């Protein structure tokens, strides 16, 4: 069975958001987007790099998939984050029938379906 490893960016006061910009996800009036970059350093960069450069598949919720798919496919293989994100399999947990256009993206309706799918050994990030 594969392991699912969760990775999140979480502030001490409970803000959970990727290290994007201020307008990344302003739903519900959220106005703290872009909080990570001003607090990042070499330690943060090395920790993120260690995770991203490994072997994994991505398990994404629909909203995170939409944000990633609107951004990462437009960078070439010279971008150290885009390269692994674009090549890996993306499993999108969604009940929607919307098209998943980002290469190597696969719809998964539930965690139970993911368990039954007999995926190859490895880990999902």
């Amino acid at each position: 069975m594969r392991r699912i490893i969760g990775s999140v960016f979480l502030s001490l006061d409970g803000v959970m958001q990727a290290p994007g910009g201020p307008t990344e996800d302003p739903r519900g009036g959220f106005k703290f987007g872009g909080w990570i970059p001003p607090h990042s350093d070499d330690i943060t960069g090395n920790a993120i790099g260690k995770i991203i450069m490994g072997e994994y598949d991505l398990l994404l919720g629909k909203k995170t998939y939409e944000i990633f798919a609107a951004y990462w496919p437009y960078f070439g293989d010279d971008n150290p984050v885009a390269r692994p994100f674009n090549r890996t399999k993306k499993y999108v947990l969604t009940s929607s029938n919307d098209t998943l256009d980002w290469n190597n993206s696969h719809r998964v309706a539930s965690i139970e379906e993911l368990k039954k799918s007999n995926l190859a050994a490895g880990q999902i990030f």
Side-chain angles (χ1 to χ4, degrees), residues 69-87:
Y71 189 78
W72 292 115
Y74 304 99
F75 287 89
D77 277 348
D78 57 333
N79 183 289
V81 177
R83 182 177 27 304
F85 277 8
N86 288 328
R87 75 162 192 259

Side-chain angles (χ1 to χ4, degrees), residues 62-102:
K62 185 176 186 298
K63 183 64 180 174
T64 302
Y65 171 83
E66 290 171 347
I67 292 169
F68 278 30
Y71 189 78
W72 292 115
Y74 304 99
F75 287 89
D77 277 348
D78 57 333
N79 183 289
V81 177
R83 182 177 27 304
F85 277 8
N86 288 328
R87 75 162 192 259
T88 195
K89 289 181 184 172
K90 277 85 59 189
Y91 295 97
V92 183
L93 191 57
T94 180
S95 58
S96 165
N97 288 323
D98 293 347
T99 303
L100 302 176
D101 293 327
W102 191 11

Side-chain angles (χ1 to χ4, degrees), residues 102-114:
W102 191 11
N103 69 306
N104 248 345
S105 295
H106 310 276
R107 182 180 329 282
V108 180
S110 67
I111 291 295
E112 289 74 28
E113 181 181 322
L114 185 66

